[in-house]
Amino acid sequence: MASEVEETLKRIEGQRGVVGTVVCNADGIPIRSSLDGVATAQYARLLRKLTVMAKSAVRDIDPQNDLTFLRLRSQKCEIMVGLENEFLVIVIQNLHQ
Amino acid sequence: VSQLLHSGQLSMGPLVFQRGCQTRALHSTDAEVQTVSTAVSSTQTEPQDHVTEQLLQHEEPEPPGLRDFLRQVEDRVIKELVKNARSHAFDGYQVNWEDQSQLVSCRHRLQHPSAQERSLHVTSVSWSCTGSVIACAYGRIDEGDWGTEKSHVCTWNLDRRGLNPKQPDLVIDVPTTVTALSFHPNQPSLIAGGLYTGEVVVWDTSHTQDPVMAQTGMSADSHREPVYQVDWVPLQKRGEFGVLSASSGGRVLLWTLDPDQGGFVLSAGYALVRQQVPHSSRSNYKARGSSHVGVTALALSPWDSDIFLVGSEGGLLLKCSFSSQTLAAAPSEGQSVTLRAPAVFSFRPRNSPIHSIHCSPFHRNLFLSVGTDGLAHLHSLLQTNPLLSVRVSDSYVFDVRWSPTRPLVFAAATGQGVVQIFDLGRRSLRPAATIDQGGANQAATCLAFNSQNPHLLAVGKTDGTVNIWHLSADLTEQSPRETVQLELMAREVAE
């Protein structure tokens, strides 16, 4: 049963350039991660804050609408956050060789 | 019945009263307790295996909804990842949010009036590890008997309010010319210096009364010739540093500080002798002159703690190893350690003295060397011939440093007083920026980038001034492809 979760995460991590993945629950607590403890806690805390703000921005503009995906592009990598049912999956992708 | 009244004496004593009191009854009870059963237990942590530690064990129950969530979100995430990998939307997109300053401007002109009166040159500059203090050494090493002149080491704290450029915060008087200076990489108050007499000194700037913390003195162990370079070297024990000094007598010595005696202890010594210099097959360097190799430039590699590079008065450029076990062919002069020959590889020699070598902080194999021939050579540690030669100036070049923030940028101080900054990423080999303070015939003898505040560059000149320049943003902001370009450059094979 747990293997389906692991397999899905492995498929995501196997994509080109993916550096790490973090899955958080509704309270912002990381429940699965491929990074070390410190980095995981950091990503979970910071991106959860950002996601909550982004979500409320989308819903303030149109209450019928909802945030589905968030992408942050920085000089060194791209951080993607997928949301659904209060869970979050954070994927970090680095395409520079 | 007759009652006889007994008429006796009726004695009346002192009046005596008697009272008594008593508390109410106290209730007291006795009871006994005894343990029927005992249990003992203890806890202890186990050493954790950090390297491969998954955040949470898989045996933990899966939170409800996790599986469904991942099932729903997986497609979307993978689609975005693939799209991003294929996208060209951001190719060549560079944005910089910081304030761009386009100019190179002179922030401070620092002078020490007493040194100026005596026309002393600035021989060396060094920034402290915190980046706020600049120290400079005065002296003269040109013709004549200047070596015995008294000189100074001055420091200025640039972050202090009320900075007076004409008055250093601290002036240390030194009995002879100081030829090399280096701040300790971790402790902001220690400065190591090399003197014209061959001594190596460490000053502690927090002791204003007697700043000399340790000095080698004139012992059998110390150098006999001017020390042209001192550097702090990390020792085996983490956090401890030793001082490496190189002199034109051909010796490179590693000193450790002895806290008990307050002096230096020679921990390792290397002697460079002409006969022991490895000859690469393509060099046709002819040995001439004395047999020792006068060291005028020294560089440590930040990537490999065993390697150091040495440049000589005769133009030799050598890669040396701290762990070399070959004994030196130099005559022993009663040193406390046996001298070893450190040279393991010889790069293509030049015809003139090499004044400065610096290893790239961004690539493990690259380093720059400059000398009297006015060229800056970019070498790879793996090849004899330089990868690239850049014409810096028509006259001597005294110092070269890589930029601490831009992998492709370096600055060189020339004998004409001009500092040329080159950007190897540009097509043309003309300098990206030229810093000219004016005052011809005043050579720029040394320069140092401030690693904490990479916009600042300190330049010392023969007119006794230290100028602090603020560099423009394009010289200090790294662009995304630079490390890649540097790597490509390093991989080229010199013809």
Side-chain angles (χ1 to χ4, degrees), chain A residues 4 6 8 11 15 31 68-69 71 73 78 83-84 87 93 95, chain B residues 56 58 62 64 67 69 71-72 74 76 80-82 84 90:
Chain A
E4 191 187 326
E6 304 313 321
T8 313
R11 272 199 292 272
Q15 295 298 315
I31 46 182
T68 54
F69 208 88
R71 274 170 74 159
R73 194 181 179 92
E78 179 131 351
L83 308 99
E84 187 81 40
F87 279 97
Q93 186 182 33
L95 291 169
Chain B
L56 292 153
H58 297 294
E62 197 182 290
R67 206 160 20 118
F69 160 65
R71 215 182 283 151
Q72 283 168 351
E74 179 195 356
R76 217 184 304 147
E80 292 294 332
L81 285 170
V82 170
N84 190 31
F90 289 98

PDB file of all heavy atoms in Angstrom, chain A residues 4 6 8 11 15 31 68-69 71 73 78 83-84 87 93 95, chain B residues 56 58 62 64 67 69 71-72 74 76 80-82 84 90:
ATOM      1  N   GLU A   4       2.634   2.448  -3.326  1.00  0.00           N
ATOM      2  CA  GLU A   4       2.093   3.272  -4.409  1.00  0.00           C
ATOM      3  C   GLU A   4       2.539   4.714  -4.215  1.00  0.00           C
ATOM      4  O   GLU A   4       2.919   5.402  -5.161  1.00  0.00           O
ATOM      5  CB  GLU A   4       0.561   3.217  -4.406  1.00  0.00           C
ATOM      6  CG  GLU A   4       0.039   3.840  -5.692  1.00  0.00           C
ATOM      7  CD  GLU A   4      -1.470   3.985  -5.681  1.00  0.00           C
ATOM      8  OE1 GLU A   4      -2.132   3.107  -5.091  1.00  0.00           O
ATOM      9  OE2 GLU A   4      -1.963   4.962  -6.258  1.00  0.00           O
ATOM     10  N   GLU A   6       5.234   5.618  -2.651  1.00  0.00           N
ATOM     11  CA  GLU A   6       6.666   5.686  -2.964  1.00  0.00           C
ATOM     12  C   GLU A   6       6.904   5.663  -4.449  1.00  0.00           C
ATOM     13  O   GLU A   6       7.756   6.354  -4.974  1.00  0.00           O
ATOM     14  CB  GLU A   6       7.414   4.507  -2.318  1.00  0.00           C
ATOM     15  CG  GLU A   6       7.230   4.405  -0.823  1.00  0.00           C
ATOM     16  CD  GLU A   6       7.408   5.719  -0.113  1.00  0.00           C
ATOM     17  OE1 GLU A   6       8.313   6.486  -0.501  1.00  0.00           O
ATOM     18  OE2 GLU A   6       6.626   6.009   0.807  1.00  0.00           O
ATOM     19  N   THR A   8       4.921   6.704  -6.826  1.00  0.00           N
ATOM     20  CA  THR A   8       4.562   7.993  -7.421  1.00  0.00           C
ATOM     21  C   THR A   8       5.670   9.012  -7.183  1.00  0.00           C
ATOM     22  O   THR A   8       6.065   9.732  -8.103  1.00  0.00           O
ATOM     23  CB  THR A   8       3.260   8.519  -6.797  1.00  0.00           C
ATOM     24  OG1 THR A   8       2.318   7.483  -6.778  1.00  0.00           O
ATOM     25  CG2 THR A   8       2.746   9.712  -7.555  1.00  0.00           C
ATOM     26  N   ARG A  11       8.541   8.405  -9.412  1.00  0.00           N
ATOM     27  CA  ARG A  11       8.323   8.839 -10.796  1.00  0.00           C
ATOM     28  C   ARG A  11       8.579  10.338 -10.906  1.00  0.00           C
ATOM     29  O   ARG A  11       9.183  10.815 -11.854  1.00  0.00           O
ATOM     30  CB  ARG A  11       6.882   8.530 -11.227  1.00  0.00           C
ATOM     31  CG  ARG A  11       6.712   7.149 -11.796  1.00  0.00           C
ATOM     32  CD  ARG A  11       5.438   7.084 -12.600  1.00  0.00           C
ATOM     33  NE  ARG A  11       4.261   7.201 -11.740  1.00  0.00           N
ATOM     34  CZ  ARG A  11       3.666   6.164 -11.145  1.00  0.00           C
ATOM     35  NH1 ARG A  11       4.132   4.952 -11.302  1.00  0.00           N
ATOM     36  NH2 ARG A  11       2.604   6.350 -10.382  1.00  0.00           N
ATOM     37  N   GLN A  15      12.164  12.588 -12.944  1.00  0.00           N
ATOM     38  CA  GLN A  15      12.114  13.524 -14.074  1.00  0.00           C
ATOM     39  C   GLN A  15      13.428  14.264 -14.172  1.00  0.00           C
ATOM     40  O   GLN A  15      14.159  14.403 -13.200  1.00  0.00           O
ATOM     41  CB  GLN A  15      10.984  14.541 -13.864  1.00  0.00           C
ATOM     42  CG  GLN A  15       9.600  13.930 -13.871  1.00  0.00           C
ATOM     43  CD  GLN A  15       9.284  13.279 -15.184  1.00  0.00           C
ATOM     44  OE1 GLN A  15       9.534  13.833 -16.244  1.00  0.00           O
ATOM     45  NE2 GLN A  15       8.739  12.090 -15.126  1.00  0.00           N
ATOM     46  N   ILE A  31       5.655  15.283   5.436  1.00  0.00           N
ATOM     47  CA  ILE A  31       5.454  13.871   5.722  1.00  0.00           C
ATOM     48  C   ILE A  31       6.283  12.943   4.849  1.00  0.00           C
ATOM     49  O   ILE A  31       6.504  11.801   5.198  1.00  0.00           O
ATOM     50  CB  ILE A  31       3.964  13.472   5.623  1.00  0.00           C
ATOM     51  CG1 ILE A  31       3.339  14.056   4.362  1.00  0.00           C
ATOM     52  CG2 ILE A  31       3.223  13.948   6.837  1.00  0.00           C
ATOM     53  CD1 ILE A  31       1.878  13.750   4.244  1.00  0.00           C
ATOM     54  N   THR A  68      -4.106  26.039  -8.111  1.00  0.00           N
ATOM     55  CA  THR A  68      -3.781  24.640  -8.365  1.00  0.00           C
ATOM     56  C   THR A  68      -2.271  24.384  -8.392  1.00  0.00           C
ATOM     57  O   THR A  68      -1.808  23.304  -8.070  1.00  0.00           O
ATOM     58  CB  THR A  68      -4.346  24.176  -9.724  1.00  0.00           C
ATOM     59  OG1 THR A  68      -3.873  25.079 -10.719  1.00  0.00           O
ATOM     60  CG2 THR A  68      -5.847  24.127  -9.709  1.00  0.00           C
ATOM     61  N   PHE A  69      -1.509  25.391  -8.827  1.00  0.00           N
ATOM     62  CA  PHE A  69      -0.087  25.151  -9.016  1.00  0.00           C
ATOM     63  C   PHE A  69       0.676  26.455  -8.840  1.00  0.00           C
ATOM     64  O   PHE A  69       0.180  27.505  -9.213  1.00  0.00           O
ATOM     65  CB  PHE A  69       0.130  24.614 -10.438  1.00  0.00           C
ATOM     66  CG  PHE A  69       1.329  23.724 -10.556  1.00  0.00           C
ATOM     67  CD1 PHE A  69       1.215  22.365 -10.308  1.00  0.00           C
ATOM     68  CD2 PHE A  69       2.568  24.231 -10.900  1.00  0.00           C
ATOM     69  CE1 PHE A  69       2.312  21.539 -10.397  1.00  0.00           C
ATOM     70  CE2 PHE A  69       3.659  23.405 -10.996  1.00  0.00           C
ATOM     71  CZ  PHE A  69       3.528  22.058 -10.751  1.00  0.00           C
ATOM     72  N   ARG A  71       4.630  28.163  -9.352  1.00  0.00           N
ATOM     73  CA  ARG A  71       6.003  27.956  -9.822  1.00  0.00           C
ATOM     74  C   ARG A  71       6.851  29.161  -9.480  1.00  0.00           C
ATOM     75  O   ARG A  71       6.473  30.284  -9.755  1.00  0.00           O
ATOM     76  CB  ARG A  71       6.017  27.792 -11.350  1.00  0.00           C
ATOM     77  CG  ARG A  71       5.760  26.378 -11.811  1.00  0.00           C
ATOM     78  CD  ARG A  71       5.538  26.338 -13.281  1.00  0.00           C
ATOM     79  NE  ARG A  71       6.795  26.523 -13.999  1.00  0.00           N
ATOM     80  CZ  ARG A  71       6.968  26.132 -15.254  1.00  0.00           C
ATOM     81  NH1 ARG A  71       5.981  25.564 -15.915  1.00  0.00           N
ATOM     82  NH2 ARG A  71       8.112  26.328 -15.853  1.00  0.00           N
ATOM     83  N   ARG A  73      10.593  30.730 -10.121  1.00  0.00           N
ATOM     84  CA  ARG A  73      11.821  30.530 -10.867  1.00  0.00           C
ATOM     85  C   ARG A  73      12.911  31.394 -10.272  1.00  0.00           C
ATOM     86  O   ARG A  73      12.743  32.594 -10.120  1.00  0.00           O
ATOM     87  CB  ARG A  73      11.619  30.895 -12.338  1.00  0.00           C
ATOM     88  CG  ARG A  73      12.764  30.371 -13.183  1.00  0.00           C
ATOM     89  CD  ARG A  73      12.587  30.756 -14.621  1.00  0.00           C
ATOM     90  NE  ARG A  73      13.706  30.271 -15.396  1.00  0.00           N
ATOM     91  CZ  ARG A  73      13.741  29.091 -16.015  1.00  0.00           C
ATOM     92  NH1 ARG A  73      12.700  28.297 -15.951  1.00  0.00           N
ATOM     93  NH2 ARG A  73      14.814  28.711 -16.681  1.00  0.00           N
ATOM     94  N   GLU A  78      14.210  25.875 -10.196  1.00  0.00           N
ATOM     95  CA  GLU A  78      12.799  26.201 -10.241  1.00  0.00           C
ATOM     96  C   GLU A  78      12.101  25.385  -9.165  1.00  0.00           C
ATOM     97  O   GLU A  78      12.330  24.188  -9.036  1.00  0.00           O
ATOM     98  CB  GLU A  78      12.241  25.844 -11.621  1.00  0.00           C
ATOM     99  CG  GLU A  78      10.766  26.112 -11.770  1.00  0.00           C
ATOM    100  CD  GLU A  78      10.429  26.880 -13.028  1.00  0.00           C
ATOM    101  OE1 GLU A  78      11.365  27.340 -13.701  1.00  0.00           O
ATOM    102  OE2 GLU A  78       9.244  27.012 -13.333  1.00  0.00           O
ATOM    103  N   LEU A  83      -0.878  21.687  -5.470  1.00  0.00           N
ATOM    104  CA  LEU A  83      -1.781  21.605  -4.318  1.00  0.00           C
ATOM    105  C   LEU A  83      -3.054  20.870  -4.634  1.00  0.00           C
ATOM    106  O   LEU A  83      -3.542  20.912  -5.756  1.00  0.00           O
ATOM    107  CB  LEU A  83      -2.241  23.005  -3.898  1.00  0.00           C
ATOM    108  CG  LEU A  83      -1.275  24.066  -3.657  1.00  0.00           C
ATOM    109  CD1 LEU A  83      -1.182  24.926  -4.854  1.00  0.00           C
ATOM    110  CD2 LEU A  83      -1.735  24.859  -2.480  1.00  0.00           C
ATOM    111  N   GLU A  84      -3.608  20.264  -3.612  1.00  0.00           N
ATOM    112  CA  GLU A  84      -4.879  19.581  -3.770  1.00  0.00           C
ATOM    113  C   GLU A  84      -5.301  19.146  -2.388  1.00  0.00           C
ATOM    114  O   GLU A  84      -4.500  18.581  -1.666  1.00  0.00           O
ATOM    115  CB  GLU A  84      -4.673  18.352  -4.666  1.00  0.00           C
ATOM    116  CG  GLU A  84      -5.925  17.627  -5.056  1.00  0.00           C
ATOM    117  CD  GLU A  84      -6.634  18.287  -6.213  1.00  0.00           C
ATOM    118  OE1 GLU A  84      -5.954  18.747  -7.139  1.00  0.00           O
ATOM    119  OE2 GLU A  84      -7.872  18.320  -6.188  1.00  0.00           O
ATOM    120  N   PHE A  87      -3.136  19.197   0.862  1.00  0.00           N
ATOM    121  CA  PHE A  87      -1.772  18.658   0.839  1.00  0.00           C
ATOM    122  C   PHE A  87      -0.941  19.497  -0.126  1.00  0.00           C
ATOM    123  O   PHE A  87      -1.482  20.121  -1.024  1.00  0.00           O
ATOM    124  CB  PHE A  87      -1.755  17.212   0.335  1.00  0.00           C
ATOM    125  CG  PHE A  87      -2.109  16.201   1.370  1.00  0.00           C
ATOM    126  CD1 PHE A  87      -3.409  15.717   1.465  1.00  0.00           C
ATOM    127  CD2 PHE A  87      -1.151  15.718   2.253  1.00  0.00           C
ATOM    128  CE1 PHE A  87      -3.739  14.771   2.410  1.00  0.00           C
ATOM    129  CE2 PHE A  87      -1.484  14.766   3.192  1.00  0.00           C
ATOM    130  CZ  PHE A  87      -2.781  14.277   3.281  1.00  0.00           C
ATOM    131  N   GLN A  93      13.572  21.712  -9.146  1.00  0.00           N
ATOM    132  CA  GLN A  93      14.160  21.246 -10.408  1.00  0.00           C
ATOM    133  C   GLN A  93      15.288  22.187 -10.808  1.00  0.00           C
ATOM    134  O   GLN A  93      15.126  23.385 -10.819  1.00  0.00           O
ATOM    135  CB  GLN A  93      13.070  21.222 -11.492  1.00  0.00           C
ATOM    136  CG  GLN A  93      13.528  20.613 -12.819  1.00  0.00           C
ATOM    137  CD  GLN A  93      12.447  20.649 -13.872  1.00  0.00           C
ATOM    138  OE1 GLN A  93      11.649  21.566 -13.888  1.00  0.00           O
ATOM    139  NE2 GLN A  93      12.420  19.674 -14.749  1.00  0.00           N
ATOM    140  N   LEU A  95      17.870  22.929 -13.872  1.00  0.00           N
ATOM    141  CA  LEU A  95      18.194  22.526 -15.238  1.00  0.00           C
ATOM    142  C   LEU A  95      19.552  22.987 -15.703  1.00  0.00           C
ATOM    143  O   LEU A  95      19.961  22.700 -16.805  1.00  0.00           O
ATOM    144  CB  LEU A  95      17.113  23.056 -16.198  1.00  0.00           C
ATOM    145  CG  LEU A  95      15.797  22.339 -15.995  1.00  0.00           C
ATOM    146  CD1 LEU A  95      14.708  23.049 -16.743  1.00  0.00           C
ATOM    147  CD2 LEU A  95      15.900  20.913 -16.494  1.00  0.00           C
TER     148      LEU A  95
ATOM    149  N   LEU B  56      11.154  10.205   7.484  1.00  0.00           N
ATOM    150  CA  LEU B  56      10.219   9.437   8.306  1.00  0.00           C
ATOM    151  C   LEU B  56      10.249   7.990   7.853  1.00  0.00           C
ATOM    152  O   LEU B  56      10.417   7.710   6.690  1.00  0.00           O
ATOM    153  CB  LEU B  56       8.798   9.988   8.127  1.00  0.00           C
ATOM    154  CG  LEU B  56       8.615  11.379   8.712  1.00  0.00           C
ATOM    155  CD1 LEU B  56       7.534  12.100   7.976  1.00  0.00           C
ATOM    156  CD2 LEU B  56       8.297  11.293  10.175  1.00  0.00           C
ATOM    157  N   HIS B  58       9.073   4.383   6.803  1.00  0.00           N
ATOM    158  CA  HIS B  58       7.937   3.979   5.987  1.00  0.00           C
ATOM    159  C   HIS B  58       6.937   3.143   6.745  1.00  0.00           C
ATOM    160  O   HIS B  58       5.851   2.891   6.268  1.00  0.00           O
ATOM    161  CB  HIS B  58       8.436   3.229   4.760  1.00  0.00           C
ATOM    162  CG  HIS B  58       9.275   4.100   3.894  1.00  0.00           C
ATOM    163  ND1 HIS B  58       8.750   5.184   3.248  1.00  0.00           N
ATOM    164  CD2 HIS B  58      10.586   4.081   3.605  1.00  0.00           C
ATOM    165  CE1 HIS B  58       9.724   5.793   2.588  1.00  0.00           C
ATOM    166  NE2 HIS B  58      10.846   5.160   2.779  1.00  0.00           N
ATOM    167  N   GLU B  62       0.316   5.662   6.931  1.00  0.00           N
ATOM    168  CA  GLU B  62       0.193   6.680   5.909  1.00  0.00           C
ATOM    169  C   GLU B  62      -0.939   7.610   6.274  1.00  0.00           C
ATOM    170  O   GLU B  62      -2.030   7.162   6.588  1.00  0.00           O
ATOM    171  CB  GLU B  62      -0.152   5.937   4.648  1.00  0.00           C
ATOM    172  CG  GLU B  62       0.043   6.675   3.385  1.00  0.00           C
ATOM    173  CD  GLU B  62      -0.411   5.774   2.266  1.00  0.00           C
ATOM    174  OE1 GLU B  62       0.290   4.789   2.020  1.00  0.00           O
ATOM    175  OE2 GLU B  62      -1.497   6.034   1.717  1.00  0.00           O
ATOM    176  N   PRO B  64      -4.154   9.709   6.038  1.00  0.00           N
ATOM    177  CA  PRO B  64      -5.298   9.483   5.155  1.00  0.00           C
ATOM    178  C   PRO B  64      -5.315  10.517   4.059  1.00  0.00           C
ATOM    179  O   PRO B  64      -5.052  11.688   4.284  1.00  0.00           O
ATOM    180  CB  PRO B  64      -6.512   9.647   6.074  1.00  0.00           C
ATOM    181  CG  PRO B  64      -6.007  10.417   7.242  1.00  0.00           C
ATOM    182  CD  PRO B  64      -4.573  10.084   7.402  1.00  0.00           C
ATOM    183  N   ARG B  67      -2.489   9.135  -0.465  1.00  0.00           N
ATOM    184  CA  ARG B  67      -2.435   8.389  -1.705  1.00  0.00           C
ATOM    185  C   ARG B  67      -3.307   9.047  -2.775  1.00  0.00           C
ATOM    186  O   ARG B  67      -2.902   9.218  -3.921  1.00  0.00           O
ATOM    187  CB  ARG B  67      -2.916   6.958  -1.442  1.00  0.00           C
ATOM    188  CG  ARG B  67      -2.335   5.986  -2.416  1.00  0.00           C
ATOM    189  CD  ARG B  67      -2.383   4.546  -1.944  1.00  0.00           C
ATOM    190  NE  ARG B  67      -3.337   4.269  -0.913  1.00  0.00           N
ATOM    191  CZ  ARG B  67      -4.365   3.424  -1.033  1.00  0.00           C
ATOM    192  NH1 ARG B  67      -4.575   2.819  -2.175  1.00  0.00           N
ATOM    193  NH2 ARG B  67      -5.156   3.202  -0.024  1.00  0.00           N
ATOM    194  N   PHE B  69      -4.247  12.111  -2.887  1.00  0.00           N
ATOM    195  CA  PHE B  69      -3.659  13.394  -3.252  1.00  0.00           C
ATOM    196  C   PHE B  69      -2.586  13.199  -4.317  1.00  0.00           C
ATOM    197  O   PHE B  69      -2.582  13.882  -5.351  1.00  0.00           O
ATOM    198  CB  PHE B  69      -3.059  14.054  -2.000  1.00  0.00           C
ATOM    199  CG  PHE B  69      -2.044  15.114  -2.296  1.00  0.00           C
ATOM    200  CD1 PHE B  69      -2.410  16.286  -2.946  1.00  0.00           C
ATOM    201  CD2 PHE B  69      -0.714  14.952  -1.947  1.00  0.00           C
ATOM    202  CE1 PHE B  69      -1.478  17.267  -3.224  1.00  0.00           C
ATOM    203  CE2 PHE B  69       0.215  15.933  -2.223  1.00  0.00           C
ATOM    204  CZ  PHE B  69      -0.163  17.087  -2.870  1.00  0.00           C
ATOM    205  N   ARG B  71      -2.101  10.757  -6.278  1.00  0.00           N
ATOM    206  CA  ARG B  71      -2.660  10.261  -7.527  1.00  0.00           C
ATOM    207  C   ARG B  71      -3.192  11.417  -8.362  1.00  0.00           C
ATOM    208  O   ARG B  71      -3.009  11.486  -9.566  1.00  0.00           O
ATOM    209  CB  ARG B  71      -3.801   9.292  -7.217  1.00  0.00           C
ATOM    210  CG  ARG B  71      -3.895   8.151  -8.193  1.00  0.00           C
ATOM    211  CD  ARG B  71      -5.048   7.268  -7.884  1.00  0.00           C
ATOM    212  NE  ARG B  71      -4.799   6.387  -6.762  1.00  0.00           N
ATOM    213  CZ  ARG B  71      -5.745   5.917  -5.941  1.00  0.00           C
ATOM    214  NH1 ARG B  71      -6.987   6.292  -6.100  1.00  0.00           N
ATOM    215  NH2 ARG B  71      -5.447   5.112  -4.952  1.00  0.00           N
ATOM    216  N   GLN B  72      -3.850  12.356  -7.666  1.00  0.00           N
ATOM    217  CA  GLN B  72      -4.446  13.453  -8.422  1.00  0.00           C
ATOM    218  C   GLN B  72      -3.417  14.457  -8.905  1.00  0.00           C
ATOM    219  O   GLN B  72      -3.559  15.041  -9.961  1.00  0.00           O
ATOM    220  CB  GLN B  72      -5.460  14.203  -7.545  1.00  0.00           C
ATOM    221  CG  GLN B  72      -6.748  13.463  -7.406  1.00  0.00           C
ATOM    222  CD  GLN B  72      -7.580  14.085  -6.312  1.00  0.00           C
ATOM    223  OE1 GLN B  72      -7.101  14.948  -5.576  1.00  0.00           O
ATOM    224  NE2 GLN B  72      -8.803  13.654  -6.193  1.00  0.00           N
ATOM    225  N   GLU B  74      -0.112  14.029  -9.358  1.00  0.00           N
ATOM    226  CA  GLU B  74       1.080  13.537 -10.066  1.00  0.00           C
ATOM    227  C   GLU B  74       1.146  13.977 -11.523  1.00  0.00           C
ATOM    228  O   GLU B  74       2.167  14.494 -11.987  1.00  0.00           O
ATOM    229  CB  GLU B  74       1.098  12.007 -10.000  1.00  0.00           C
ATOM    230  CG  GLU B  74       2.285  11.414 -10.733  1.00  0.00           C
ATOM    231  CD  GLU B  74       2.120   9.929 -10.984  1.00  0.00           C
ATOM    232  OE1 GLU B  74       1.115   9.365 -10.519  1.00  0.00           O
ATOM    233  OE2 GLU B  74       2.977   9.356 -11.653  1.00  0.00           O
ATOM    234  N   ARG B  76      -0.209  16.402 -13.088  1.00  0.00           N
ATOM    235  CA  ARG B  76       0.003  17.832 -13.263  1.00  0.00           C
ATOM    236  C   ARG B  76       1.462  18.200 -13.021  1.00  0.00           C
ATOM    237  O   ARG B  76       2.066  18.963 -13.768  1.00  0.00           O
ATOM    238  CB  ARG B  76      -0.886  18.580 -12.268  1.00  0.00           C
ATOM    239  CG  ARG B  76      -1.441  19.848 -12.839  1.00  0.00           C
ATOM    240  CD  ARG B  76      -2.231  20.596 -11.816  1.00  0.00           C
ATOM    241  NE  ARG B  76      -3.291  19.801 -11.239  1.00  0.00           N
ATOM    242  CZ  ARG B  76      -3.691  19.943  -9.981  1.00  0.00           C
ATOM    243  NH1 ARG B  76      -3.131  20.808  -9.191  1.00  0.00           N
ATOM    244  NH2 ARG B  76      -4.667  19.197  -9.512  1.00  0.00           N
ATOM    245  N   GLU B  80       4.273  19.672 -15.702  1.00  0.00           N
ATOM    246  CA  GLU B  80       5.001  20.933 -15.533  1.00  0.00           C
ATOM    247  C   GLU B  80       6.505  20.715 -15.559  1.00  0.00           C
ATOM    248  O   GLU B  80       7.251  21.516 -16.116  1.00  0.00           O
ATOM    249  CB  GLU B  80       4.614  21.603 -14.196  1.00  0.00           C
ATOM    250  CG  GLU B  80       3.186  22.105 -14.141  1.00  0.00           C
ATOM    251  CD  GLU B  80       2.930  23.249 -15.102  1.00  0.00           C
ATOM    252  OE1 GLU B  80       3.877  24.006 -15.410  1.00  0.00           O
ATOM    253  OE2 GLU B  80       1.790  23.397 -15.537  1.00  0.00           O
ATOM    254  N   LEU B  81       6.948  19.615 -14.970  1.00  0.00           N
ATOM    255  CA  LEU B  81       8.397  19.365 -14.946  1.00  0.00           C
ATOM    256  C   LEU B  81       8.929  19.154 -16.352  1.00  0.00           C
ATOM    257  O   LEU B  81       9.961  19.686 -16.739  1.00  0.00           O
ATOM    258  CB  LEU B  81       8.701  18.127 -14.096  1.00  0.00           C
ATOM    259  CG  LEU B  81       8.601  18.320 -12.587  1.00  0.00           C
ATOM    260  CD1 LEU B  81       8.687  16.985 -11.882  1.00  0.00           C
ATOM    261  CD2 LEU B  81       9.713  19.212 -12.100  1.00  0.00           C
ATOM    262  N   VAL B  82       8.169  18.414 -17.131  1.00  0.00           N
ATOM    263  CA  VAL B  82       8.621  18.144 -18.495  1.00  0.00           C
ATOM    264  C   VAL B  82       8.591  19.426 -19.323  1.00  0.00           C
ATOM    265  O   VAL B  82       9.488  19.721 -20.098  1.00  0.00           O
ATOM    266  CB  VAL B  82       7.740  17.054 -19.139  1.00  0.00           C
ATOM    267  CG1 VAL B  82       8.017  16.937 -20.608  1.00  0.00           C
ATOM    268  CG2 VAL B  82       7.988  15.724 -18.450  1.00  0.00           C
ATOM    269  N   ASN B  84       8.923  22.394 -18.274  1.00  0.00           N
ATOM    270  CA  ASN B  84      10.011  23.269 -17.874  1.00  0.00           C
ATOM    271  C   ASN B  84      11.328  22.811 -18.471  1.00  0.00           C
ATOM    272  O   ASN B  84      12.147  23.605 -18.888  1.00  0.00           O
ATOM    273  CB  ASN B  84      10.119  23.302 -16.343  1.00  0.00           C
ATOM    274  CG  ASN B  84      11.069  24.374 -15.887  1.00  0.00           C
ATOM    275  OD1 ASN B  84      11.204  25.409 -16.534  1.00  0.00           O
ATOM    276  ND2 ASN B  84      11.755  24.129 -14.798  1.00  0.00           N
ATOM    277  N   PHE B  90      12.887  31.079 -20.878  1.00  0.00           N
ATOM    278  CA  PHE B  90      13.766  31.912 -20.077  1.00  0.00           C
ATOM    279  C   PHE B  90      15.199  31.927 -20.572  1.00  0.00           C
ATOM    280  O   PHE B  90      16.087  32.364 -19.865  1.00  0.00           O
ATOM    281  CB  PHE B  90      13.736  31.446 -18.617  1.00  0.00           C
ATOM    282  CG  PHE B  90      12.441  31.761 -17.936  1.00  0.00           C
ATOM    283  CD1 PHE B  90      11.462  30.800 -17.821  1.00  0.00           C
ATOM    284  CD2 PHE B  90      12.213  33.026 -17.417  1.00  0.00           C
ATOM    285  CE1 PHE B  90      10.268  31.084 -17.195  1.00  0.00           C
ATOM    286  CE2 PHE B  90      11.021  33.309 -16.784  1.00  0.00           C
ATOM    287  CZ  PHE B  90      10.046  32.348 -16.671  1.00  0.00           C
TER     288      PHE B  90
END
